[in-house]
Amino acid sequence: MSTNRVSAILNDADKTTVLESLSQVKDKMPFLINLSVQERRRSRKMGAKSVEYVNLSLQGSQTFGSLIPASVDVTEFSKDVTLVNQLMAIRIEVEALLEGINDTMLAAGSDAMQFADLVYAYLKRGSKSNVGVKSITADIAKRFVRRSRPIGALKV
């Protein structure tokens, strides 16, 4: 068996504290929205290369305001740009945290699967001589049952 990469316990009190902290973070940003897939698809995207374009356009609109028609709400434009810049710093931290959570879950899950495979192998071997073990090995074996596909079904 390979090395156990994660050996940790997140006790219930710490888990509760983390979830409460995340809730507090969400409470500090009541303006967050969730777009539909269609809204995401239709929206004009602001990628990393667009940050300077947007910031310079804002600077230009503020410096040379007489050239911008009154129908363009420069104050709202400024709010949007400021919010994007502020959220970018938060997003970097959240993405790093999420990557750590995902990688830890992957490693711990991999460790658990390897242990489960090992335990299942021992239980299968033991079920040959111990009738009491047959029930649990039969339950575990259900995970490995392949469902038959209708003839002509494509594997995706």
Side-chain angles (χ1 to χ4, degrees):
M1 185 166 154
S2 67
T3 307
N4 188 38
R5 292 177 285 179
V6 179
S7 180
I9 294 175
L10 178 63
N11 66 46
D12 288 340
D14 286 344
K15 177 185 168 194
T16 299
T17 300
V18 168
L19 292 173
E20 287 170 354
S21 297
L22 290 173
S23 180
Q24 289 173 3
V25 168
K26 286 193 268 184
D27 289 346
K28 294 292 183 186
M29 298 186 290
F31 50 82
L32 294 178
I33 63 171
N34 294 82
L35 299 175
S36 69
V37 172
Q38 192 173 40
E39 288 172 314
R40 272 193 207 101
R41 201 174 292 138
R42 280 194 245 153
S43 293
R44 180 108 190 262
K45 312 297 186 290
M46 183 178 158
K49 293 179 183 179
S50 303
V51 173
E52 183 177 20
Y53 164 72
V54 169
N55 283 317
L56 288 173
S57 294
L58 175 61
Q59 182 182 346
S61 72
Q62 293 168 333
T63 304
F64 304 104
S66 62
L67 299 174
I68 310 301
S71 61
V72 176
D73 190 343
V74 176
T75 302
E76 194 59 38
F77 179 28
S78 177
K79 285 172 53 179
D80 288 343
V81 172
T82 300
L83 182 61
V84 166
N85 288 325
Q86 291 170 329
L87 289 175
M88 190 66 67
I90 294 169
R91 180 176 154 179
I92 289 167
E93 291 299 318
V94 170
E95 284 178 344
L97 175 63
L98 184 58
E99 184 177 348
I101 291 170
N102 286 338
D103 288 349
T104 303
M105 285 179 60
L106 177 68
S110 178
D111 291 346
M113 288 295 290
Q114 289 179 39
F115 278 117
D117 291 343
L118 187 62
V119 167
Y120 179 52
Y122 283 119
L123 290 173
K124 272 189 355 186
R125 194 172 316 145
S127 70
K128 294 175 182 172
S129 61
N130 184 334
V131 176
V133 180
K134 285 186 182 193
S135 175
I136 195 164
T137 55
D139 287 343
I140 294 171
K142 290 176 187 174
R143 182 227 189 268
F144 299 103
V145 173
R146 289 183 152 220
R147 295 180 186 198
S148 61
R149 282 182 260 145
I151 296 176
L154 294 176
K155 183 179 179 183
V156 182

